[in-house]
Amino acid sequence: MTDYKGIQGVTIQSVATDPSPLDEGQVWYNNATYAFKLAGLNAAAWASGGNLTTARTALAASTNGTQTANIVFGGDSGSPTGATESYNGTSWSPAPSMNTARSYLGGAGTQTASVSFGGKDPGTTGATEKWNGSTWTNNPTGLNVARHYLCGCGTQTTALAIGGNPANPPTSAVESFNGSTWTNLTNTPTARSLAAAFGVSTAAVVVSNASPPAQSWNGSTWTNLANMNTARNGLAAAGTQTAGLAFGGIPNRNLTELWDGTSWSTQPTMATGRHYLGGCGTNTAALAAGGFNATGNSAATEEWTGASASLQTKTITTS
């Protein structure tokens, strides 16, 4: 009979406390509880969170915020809005509005230090505002290229503004923000609008239905990446350059894809298909908020939990 060592190349460890971190498939014997244990894999899934207080589409989020500490701002709730809301992992609370109401804008930062830029008010604007956790302040200078349908990522002092529409057609313009001024960077090889981005100012990924659908930024140059399984516009994203998540999109898609730095994999879908939504967090703990679904503006919030190793106990009996 083949034994465990013959299959795995190692014997089962006998330990007094469970090991940490765990690897999927790891087996050990806990000699304090007299039990054989197995590290299984928790399935990835979306779960319902607290609804926004203002249902809206075309909003922006603190892209580097977390699933339990972030803000959304701007959007369209029948007309452009400057409404801001803060999330604590359970519910949304109204916060002071932006000075310029606008939709289809870009955003970056965290719950206590964000930046909003561009959008429609209803005309195309390059307006830039900074959030300090309690109020929005107009920045003296705006984007070099005023535009809407753009996307952003990074922090308040190292933000990226990518693509968008100054008018028609879309632009390939890319700008970086240092907390006070915008600087033109190398354009994306492909002009994009209604795209999504994740990462930081020197290590980012942008995704849309452009050709190719995904490209990465290393602080100086853009590189084509593997194609998404379903290229689409109007989506949201979260994560880092080598561990990202893309979700939603036109038309009212509930699709989710995971990026591991090399390839995209299809993941469990959202409960509410929608586009023009806000997103933030990581590839293992992301947040999707608002957007436009089959019936109109949405207030729905969903929380993403990625697959992870978890402790499962298996009692083995012998005869």
Side-chain angles (χ1 to χ4, degrees):
M1 177 184 294
T2 303
D3 59 14
Y4 183 85
K5 182 178 181 181
I7 297 171
Q8 299 292 332
V10 294
T11 58
I12 296 176
Q13 286 185 305
S14 177
V15 294
T17 57
D18 296 324
S20 179
L22 300 174
D23 293 319
E24 183 187 3
Q26 186 175 354
V27 179
W28 67 97
Y29 178 74
N30 188 309
N31 53 40
T33 59
Y34 308 107
F36 284 95
K37 296 189 176 182
L38 167 69
L41 192 67
N42 277 334
W46 288 97
S48 296
N51 282 355
L52 291 166
T53 61
T54 302
R56 53 187 137 157
T57 185
L59 67 164
S62 55
T63 55
N64 278 37
T66 69
Q67 190 183 76
T68 58
N70 56 79
I71 60 170
V72 297
F73 40 93
D76 191 304
S77 57
S79 60
T81 179
T84 301
E85 299 185 39
S86 177
Y87 195 62
N88 62 6
T90 303
S91 60
W92 293 94
S93 300
S97 295
M98 291 189 296
N99 296 294
T100 302
R102 48 204 151 122
S103 57
Y104 300 104
L105 68 164
T110 66
Q111 187 182 51
T112 57
S114 282
V115 57
S116 65
F117 42 90
K120 282 187 170 184
D121 66 349
T124 299
T125 179
T128 299
E129 298 184 39
K130 294 188 292 185
W131 169 257
N132 64 5
S134 58
T135 58
W136 288 98
T137 303
N138 290 324
N139 195 66
T141 57
L143 291 165
N144 295 309
V145 179
R147 44 197 149 137
H148 57 275
Y149 294 167
L150 72 166
C151 63
C153 64
T155 70
Q156 186 186 70
T157 56
T158 58
L160 286 181
I162 304 168
N165 278 53
N168 280 313
T171 181
S172 55
V174 179
E175 300 181 41
S176 66
F177 187 65
N178 64 5
S180 60
T181 59
W182 289 97
T183 302
N184 294 327
L185 299 178
T186 304
N187 287 1
T188 56
T190 304
R192 298 174 185 271
S193 65
L194 298 174
F198 54 86
V200 295
S201 63
T202 57
V205 172
V206 60
V207 290
S208 70
N209 71 351
S211 181
Q215 293 170 326
S216 68
W217 169 253
N218 65 3
S220 59
T221 59
W222 291 94
T223 303
N224 294 340
L225 300 177
N227 289 348
M228 297 179 69
N229 293 290
T230 304
R232 53 203 188 272
N233 279 348
L235 69 167
T240 67
Q241 188 183 52
T242 57
L245 195 73
F247 41 95
I250 298 171
N252 302 325
R253 294 188 182 274
N254 59 4
L255 302 177
T256 304
E257 295 191 36
L258 185 72
W259 171 250
D260 64 5
T262 303
S263 61
W264 296 93
S265 59
T266 301
Q267 299 293 306
T269 58
M270 293 190 294
T272 304
R274 46 198 154 139
H275 55 273
Y276 303 157
L277 66 164
C280 67
T282 68
N283 72 329
T284 58
L287 195 79
F292 194 88
N293 61 25
T295 59
N297 289 345
S298 174
T301 297
E302 296 187 48
E303 299 174 354
W304 166 260
T305 301
S308 61
S310 64
L311 179 62
Q312 301 178 24
T313 302
K314 173 67 175 178
T315 301
I316 300 176
T317 60
T318 58
S319 57

